[in-house]
Amino acid sequence: RKKYKETENTNPNSFYGISKLRGENQIIKFCNSYLIFRVSWLYSLYKNNFLKFVLEKFINDEDIYAVNDLYSIPTSSYELARFLKNSENYTNKENLNQIYHFVGNGSPITWFDFAVQILKNYNKFKKINSKILPISSYDFFQNKIRPQFSSLDNSKFTQNFNFKIDNWKNSLNETMIKLFDI
């Protein structure tokens, strides 16, 4: 399956997706100058996100059920923040008033794949006994609507901004190095 481009029709099927699209439409309607960045699977060492969830399970020596049939690409909040902090250096009239996808580079993965990579990185610093067990999205989310494939194509961003988004595995590694203060 191909990653979604910014120009493709949107068809959210959950309240969360609908509210995000409504927010985008309000920005477009009422703002004279804007940049909208869509992200997927945003993670960091803080607040509620998948990386933090997995790390807490590791710390408590608990097993993890991770969905193995939903695909997207993780996005590092640190990398996004690094871009946004210096966005005035990258922004010009030609790339304003646009929607962009800001996601890590790499192939789409499942939450299960992401958890396995987190475990590999964690084991570089500390060995643990937690297991990662695959589970279907139907079983895990109890029939809540989630798209099976939500991978975003970031080529428009790459063409319009002089900023290199790293591969999601490298970004994850950098984030986890922060965890261990190395």
Side-chain angles (χ1 to χ4, degrees):
R1 229 173 144 173
K2 288 173 39 174
K3 299 175 188 177
Y4 289 104
K5 294 186 177 288
E6 296 85 347
T7 54
E8 294 187 49
N9 289 333
T10 54
N11 186 24
N13 53 11
S14 68
F15 180 77
Y16 176 70
I18 292 167
S19 67
K20 286 173 61 172
L21 181 59
R22 285 182 181 160
E24 286 181 6
N25 290 335
Q26 293 296 304
I27 290 168
I28 292 167
K29 183 176 180 180
F30 293 109
C31 296
N32 294 326
S33 182
Y34 64 86
L35 290 169
I36 296 173
F37 295 101
R38 293 177 181 156
V39 300
S40 62
W41 294 6
L42 192 65
Y43 68 88
S44 76
L45 295 175
Y46 307 101
K47 299 290 180 180
N48 296 329
N49 63 81
F50 189 72
L51 173 61
K52 186 76 171 162
F53 167 79
V54 170
L55 292 174
E56 287 174 4
K57 293 287 189 180
F58 291 168
I59 290 166
N60 294 320
D61 202 27
E62 297 176 31
D63 293 341
I64 300 163
Y65 285 95
V67 173
N68 68 346
D69 61 355
L70 301 181
Y71 292 83
S72 196
I73 301 174
T75 305
S76 165
S77 64
Y78 298 109
E79 193 157 27
L80 178 60
R82 188 168 52 90
F83 169 76
L84 292 174
K85 180 180 176 189
N86 298 303
S87 61
E88 67 277 357
N89 298 333
Y90 308 111
T91 306
N92 58 50
K93 289 181 183 178
E94 288 77 39
N95 59 20
L96 283 177
N97 301 329
Q98 301 277 330
I99 296 174
Y100 296 95
H101 293 162
F102 189 105
V103 296
N105 280 313
S107 298
I109 60 166
T110 65
W111 287 111
F112 179 81
D113 300 326
F114 192 28
V116 167
Q117 189 63 43
I118 294 167
L119 176 62
K120 285 179 185 176
N121 286 358
Y122 196 89
N123 275 333
K124 292 178 190 175
F125 306 105
K126 184 177 180 189
K127 299 294 180 197
I128 58 166
N129 296 317
S130 298
K131 292 184 197 87
I132 302 168
L133 308 166
I135 188 170
S136 75
S137 58
Y138 182 85
D139 291 335
F140 189 81
F141 294 115
Q142 300 161 347
N143 297 332
K144 292 182 183 171
I145 299 170
R146 293 192 179 244
Q148 185 177 22
F149 188 85
S150 60
S151 297
L152 304 176
D153 182 311
N154 65 10
S155 58
K156 179 180 173 186
F157 175 90
T158 303
Q159 292 167 0
N160 285 274
F161 294 93
N162 186 22
F163 183 90
K164 184 182 180 321
I165 302 174
D166 207 348
N167 181 285
W168 70 266
K169 286 183 181 180
N170 295 337
S171 296
L172 176 63
N173 189 54
E174 290 298 316
T175 299
M176 296 197 58
I177 286 171
K178 289 176 179 50
L179 173 68
F180 292 96
D181 292 318
I182 294 175

